[in-house]
Amino acid sequence: MKPTLFVLAAGMGSRYGGLKQLDGLGPSGETIMDYSIFDAIRGGFGKIVFVIRKDFEDDFRKIVLSKYENHNPVEVVFQALDNLPAGYTCPEGRVKPWGTNHAVLMGKDVIKEPFAVINADDFYGRDSFAVLGKYLSELPEGSKNDYCMVGFRIGNTLSESGSVARGICSANEEGNLTTVVERTEIMRINGVVSYKDENGEWVGVEDNTPVSMNMWGFTPDYFKYSEDYFTEFLDANKDNLKAEYFIPLMVNKLINEKTANVKVLDTTSKWFGVTYAADRQSVVDKIQALVDAGEYPSKLF
């Protein structure tokens, strides 16, 4: 069975402005998602599932899904603030989405096979989808607790226009993830890649430090763990209107409890993306260079 690609596309992209997931950046108006889908298909993925917000479903179906439907099976699920476990209600005043692992939970009824999770607005590159697709497709049928993550080098994942959020990772000698810590402000300061810690202090790290770009591989048992832990998260954060249920929170719990292994997959791909409006032209130029080099056709779909 081919693995499924699960695309997190529910964000508005507030720092960039507008629905950046629908912005045409390729020579024929391709979005970053188009390149991810193209790379995933040639990397062996089958069904594509998107999680979006209900309020832009019409535009999404018209602009995005219509391109893929003749190539691969596609499905859409929806993330909403009130999509909570039985007995829970959205706290008054909560406007911030519940986070990436809440978005992942939205796929539990339609994904029954090994699956990858990616962001809609990150350009991951061909090799990253190849190594991820290979790992997931080679898992024995019925595998559980055997996950993976594509590790990118932090120095290759920054924006020239401002800070970025990344999951900073450590791995053991076997290449399994030992920790992943979400850092929401990372930038280069005086030539050194640095993140802001819990005390507001800037901490420097090496350029080759592996980071999570939210490019994960899971088996379907991950949904049950996430569902169960979400209730604990809600109980612990009922008074915090900005707390987010990030994928690394769930992954760290499973690793620390020795419930699951998460293999860190090496890739030659270099990440880039549009975090801020000022990043846009650089991304357009990088995509055009890849097209000129023959990595992609001038029109994908």
Side-chain angles (χ1 to χ4, degrees):
M1 182 178 294
K2 291 184 176 182
T4 284
L5 183 70
F6 193 14
V7 184
L8 307 184
M12 281 290 289
S14 58
R15 287 179 293 184
Y16 177 40
L19 293 179
K20 62 180 176 179
Q21 293 87 352
L22 306 185
D23 190 11
L25 301 171
S28 298
E30 290 87 357
T31 66
I32 285 180
M33 271 193 298
D34 290 333
Y35 288 95
S36 290
I37 302 303
F38 185 83
D39 283 334
I41 291 172
R42 64 181 174 178
F45 285 83
K47 182 171 65 179
I48 305 158
V49 179
F50 300 89
V51 56
I52 65 171
R53 287 205 329 274
K54 186 70 176 176
D55 61 335
F56 66 91
E57 179 185 8
D58 289 345
D59 280 349
F60 197 86
R61 288 189 182 277
K62 180 175 63 178
I63 299 172
V64 179
L65 292 196
S66 60
K67 289 184 285 190
Y68 310 135
E69 288 173 331
N70 292 329
H71 296 272
N72 276 55
V74 296
E75 293 197 50
V76 175
V77 295
F78 303 100
Q79 183 181 22
L81 283 174
D82 59 359
N83 197 321
L84 298 173
Y88 291 84
T89 57
C90 185
E92 183 178 354
R94 174 90 193 194
V95 295
K96 194 174 186 63
W98 289 108
T100 51
N101 212 50
H102 179 253
V104 170
L105 267 175
M106 302 304 100
K108 65 185 177 68
D109 293 330
V110 300
I111 299 175
K112 307 299 180 184
E113 57 282 318
F115 65 100
V117 175
I118 66 166
N119 292 333
D121 48 7
D122 287 316
F123 192 106
Y124 292 104
R126 177 177 185 172
D127 182 70
S128 62
F129 284 99
V131 298
L132 185 53
K134 182 176 187 293
Y135 185 91
L136 293 175
S137 64
E138 291 179 353
L139 287 174
E141 187 173 352
S143 290
K144 294 182 178 180
N145 307 322
D146 192 352
Y147 310 147
C148 61
M149 184 206 81
V150 178
F152 289 77
R153 301 299 171 226
I154 194 169
N156 292 331
T157 71
L158 304 181
S159 167
E160 298 173 359
S161 306
S163 66
V164 296
R166 304 284 182 258
I168 297 182
C169 304
S170 300
N172 61 21
E173 292 181 357
E174 289 75 38
N176 291 323
L177 190 67
T178 53
T179 60
V180 54
V181 180
E182 188 76 13
R183 299 297 183 182
T184 56
E185 288 188 66
I186 303 173
M187 60 193 303
R188 197 177 292 276
I189 299 176
N190 297 325
V192 179
V193 179
S194 306
Y195 67 84
K196 186 178 286 188
D197 68 11
E198 295 82 355
N199 300 315
E201 302 291 330
W202 288 98
V203 179
V205 296
E206 297 290 334
D207 268 47
N208 63 354
T209 301
V211 294
S212 162
M213 297 303 302
N214 252 10
M215 193 175 198
W216 301 90
F218 298 115
T219 45
D221 51 289
Y222 184 79
F223 290 121
K224 177 60 176 170
Y225 296 129
S226 296
E227 202 166 29
D228 291 344
Y229 191 39
F230 190 39
T231 60
E232 295 182 35
F233 171 87
L234 291 171
D235 290 338
N237 293 280
K238 56 188 175 184
D239 298 322
N240 185 347
L241 297 180
K242 294 186 177 180
E244 292 186 69
Y245 187 34
F246 290 123
I247 293 172
L249 284 176
M250 183 74 258
V251 170
N252 270 334
K253 177 179 170 63
L254 295 174
I255 291 173
N256 291 336
E257 294 177 349
K258 301 189 185 307
T259 300
N261 288 320
V262 181
K263 184 69 70 177
V264 179
L265 305 179
D266 187 33
T267 178
T268 58
S269 290
K270 292 185 178 181
W271 171 94
F272 56 87
V274 180
T275 304
Y276 301 90
D279 297 328
R280 187 183 188 281
Q281 188 57 49
S282 173
V283 171
V284 170
D285 293 342
K286 289 174 181 176
I287 291 175
Q288 186 62 56
L290 290 170
V291 172
D292 292 343
E295 185 72 16
Y296 298 96
S298 57
K299 183 175 178 60
L300 294 183
F301 296 101

